Amino acid sequence: MATSTQAAAPAAYSGPSGASIAAILAGLSAVILGAFMSILDATIVNVALPTFGRVFQTSLQSLQWIITGYMLASAAVIPLSGWLSDHFGSKRVYLVALVLFTAGSALCAVATTAPMLVVFRVLQGLGGGMLMPVGMAILFRVAPHEKRGAVMGYFGIPMLLGPALGPVISGWLLEVASWPWIFLINLPVGIAAVVIGYRSLPSLPAEHTDTRLDVPGMLLGPVAFASLVFGISQSTEAGWTGASTLGGIAVGLVALVAFIARELAAPNPLIELRVFKSRDFALAIATQWLMVVGLFGTFFLIPVFLQQVRGYSPFQTGLISLPNALVAACTMPIAGRLFDKVGARVPVMIGLTIVMVSFWMLSHLSAATTVVDLLIPLAVMGGGMGMSMMPLGTHVLNSAPRNLVSRVTSLTGSCQNVVASLAIASFATLLQARFVANAAGGPMTVEAQATSFGDVYGAAMFVVVAAALMTLSLRRRSSPSGVSEPAREVVSSAV
């Protein structure tokens, strides 16, 4: 018998209509601190890998597990975050995630061997993997509908500042202090976030306390997403035909097929896949995936270009990349307010068009390109990212029923991990292929390397063009309640 999802579930908590952002500012700051801490930590650790190699006298291949262990733990726990939030309450789960991440940071700082550091990084990943999806779900539920875009815009700032500030902070700490401080820096931030969150975050009611844990889904989901992320990431080292690459992808695909079949048949699925029956949601998330491929898939290009081709240090690279993040941080709140007035289509189209222009400029990289030449396209790209990212993400959540928001954030987080990993690996493979083609059997000159980076940006530009065209399919405005009516009807009938 068809049963309305809205009727079956407790009423979703929502911030009071007409309330100001200042009314939820303390809770917003707790969520932003947590998100910023987890994103910043990832880029800080990447820069410190050579230092770990000298300290622990371990090969770079073994040290990759410091990053891979965190990545796999995050990918495994994201599918569970929705059920945990629905069952135990979002505030409680978010605070536990903060404690896990902060405790993991403290333990990493006292690690005496590389294997010990890997284990503590896994603990960090279990907490860090839940911070983004659970934090986003909390803000979406407490923000007044008419100011939801602005609130999510502020939440998006750490997503762009973290990757830019990470190399700067890491390089500075490694120069003036020692490697444990790249983890110890998380302690005051984490403790502050826990205290502020405990006092300020509302005790959101659990949505589905009577639902049983989907045990087969709990086992299959983490295996599927973690294996896919692992297999795809291995392609940059072992190649696409390497045993670790093929093995990881094969296990991931088999587990993913079984997971999808289970979730579609389960009465209380771990991840609610039936939201894809909504045309609004399916088109919105497909647009988001294309944008993730174009933007996140090319994040590594400029740092690699500056360090390998131009010879800059990680600290200098971080300083050069700062304009990108600063401009994005300035435009993101503007995009959020624009979203609240006109919906997602306008700011996302404007943002992706700006990104296209910046990618076109970067497709002309050459041996003569200077740092000054890079600053303009990087700043332009930051403006486009700030205008497009959070409006589209908020539109995706608006396209789902309110009482399924926790499940949808875990769904989008899991998918984005896989899509971003596939995009990075694909563009890295393309970059290697262009190196070979532009060298034309001769020595690898600076011109050949720079041209290869430009070629990859040219390819990524067409992905962004496809995302911009998909933007035309987005609804101009969501319903006044904050839920896409077609999505509510489709999911209600499916359930």
Side-chain angles (χ1 to χ4, degrees):
M1 181 177 66
T3 306
S4 171
T5 307
Q6 297 288 351
Y13 179 93
S14 177
S17 179
S20 65
I21 295 178
I24 60 171
L25 185 59
L28 174 63
S29 64
V31 176
I32 288 178
L33 281 175
F36 179 72
M37 181 173 60
S38 64
I39 295 172
L40 181 71
D41 183 79
T43 51
I44 282 182
V45 172
N46 289 348
V47 173
L49 279 183
T51 301
F52 293 143
R54 293 192 298 270
V55 171
F56 298 124
Q57 297 182 345
T58 307
S59 67
L60 185 60
Q61 185 176 7
S62 299
L63 290 173
Q64 286 295 330
W65 282 100
I66 295 174
I67 297 174
T68 304
Y70 180 93
M71 177 181 64
L72 295 182
S74 298
V77 79
I78 287 174
L80 292 170
S81 62
W83 182 87
L84 291 171
S85 297
D86 284 348
H87 200 75
F88 297 106
S90 299
K91 176 179 179 178
R92 184 177 302 172
V93 173
Y94 188 76
L95 292 178
V96 169
L98 280 173
V99 171
L100 279 176
F101 186 89
T102 306
S105 298
L107 291 171
C108 286
V110 298
T112 56
T113 64
M116 187 184 297
L117 182 57
V118 171
V119 171
F120 294 151
R121 284 283 289 168
V122 169
L123 178 62
Q124 257 193 319
L126 293 176
M130 290 189 287
L131 288 177
M132 290 296 290
V134 177
M136 183 176 292
I138 289 175
L139 293 185
F140 190 84
R141 292 177 64 189
V142 303
H145 172 63
E146 66 277 5
K147 294 183 174 64
R148 189 173 294 153
V151 170
M152 300 303 284
Y154 287 116
F155 176 68
I157 291 176
M159 295 175 61
L160 299 175
L161 281 180
L165 291 177
V168 177
I169 296 175
S170 181
W172 179 72
L173 287 175
L174 292 175
E175 287 182 7
V176 303
S178 57
W179 70 265
W181 282 98
I182 68 175
F183 297 108
L184 292 174
I185 194 175
N186 291 329
L187 267 60
V189 180
I191 293 171
V194 170
V195 172
I196 296 173
Y198 180 78
R199 293 181 176 180
S200 305
L201 287 176
S203 297
L204 301 174
E207 296 278 4
H208 306 286
T209 57
D210 56 340
T211 59
R212 294 182 179 180
L213 176 62
D214 176 20
V215 177
M218 181 191 70
L219 298 175
L220 289 170
V223 171
F225 291 112
S227 297
L228 284 172
V229 170
F230 172 75
I232 293 169
S233 66
Q234 287 295 295
S235 67
T236 57
E237 296 180 11
W240 287 102
T241 58
S244 57
T245 303
L246 294 177
I249 293 176
V251 171
L253 288 177
V254 171
L256 182 62
V257 171
F259 177 69
I260 292 173
R262 167 64 189 177
E263 297 306 280
L264 291 176
N268 298 302
L270 188 70
I271 290 181
E272 186 53 80
L273 297 178
R274 285 169 286 192
V275 291
F276 280 101
K277 292 188 176 182
S278 160
R279 177 183 177 275
D280 280 354
F281 181 84
L283 290 173
I285 201 169
T287 306
Q288 187 180 55
W289 288 346
L290 284 172
M291 184 175 71
V292 167
V293 171
L295 290 177
F296 287 78
T298 55
F299 265 179
F300 74 98
L301 290 176
I302 288 298
V304 173
F305 174 78
L306 289 172
Q307 293 181 53
Q308 291 192 3
V309 180
R310 292 302 188 193
Y312 289 102
S313 68
F315 178 72
Q316 292 170 321
T317 299
L319 290 177
I320 295 170
S321 302
L322 269 183
N324 174 275
L326 294 177
V327 173
C330 293
T331 56
M332 193 167 275
I334 298 173
R337 296 181 183 278
L338 185 60
F339 170 87
D340 289 333
K341 294 181 179 180
V342 300
R345 184 186 297 183
V346 172
V348 175
M349 177 61 76
I350 293 173
L352 291 179
T353 302
I354 294 174
V355 171
M356 278 188 279
V357 173
S358 69
F359 278 20
W360 177 82
M361 297 170 72
L362 290 170
S363 69
H364 294 82
L365 288 174
S366 69
T369 301
T370 64
V371 169
V372 176
D373 296 330
L374 285 175
L375 291 179
I376 294 177
L378 286 178
V380 171
M381 186 199 304
M385 291 165 58
M387 287 296 295
S388 57
M389 286 179 60
M390 291 314 293
L392 184 53
T394 308
H395 181 83
V396 169
L397 296 182
N398 267 349
S399 301
R402 284 294 297 273
N403 63 306
L404 295 179
V405 167
S406 294
R407 306 296 177 95
V408 170
T409 54
S410 60
L411 167 65
T412 57
S414 299
C415 292
Q416 282 186 32
N417 266 4
V418 175
V419 171
S421 298
L422 180 60
I424 292 171
S426 299
F427 283 130
T429 302
L430 176 60
L431 181 62
Q432 293 297 324
R434 296 311 302 164
F435 281 158
V436 174
N438 288 319
M444 182 59 65
T445 63
V446 173
E447 181 64 34
Q449 293 183 69
T451 302
S452 300
F453 280 93
D455 292 343
V456 176
Y457 271 112
M461 181 181 66
F462 288 102
V463 178
V464 178
V465 170
L469 293 176
M470 284 289 293
T471 302
L472 299 175
S473 67
L474 303 180
R475 280 183 178 270
R476 293 181 183 274
R477 296 294 300 272
S478 57
S479 65
S481 63
V483 186
S484 172
E485 294 297 337
R488 183 191 312 202
E489 294 169 4
V490 168
V491 177
S492 297
S493 62
V495 173

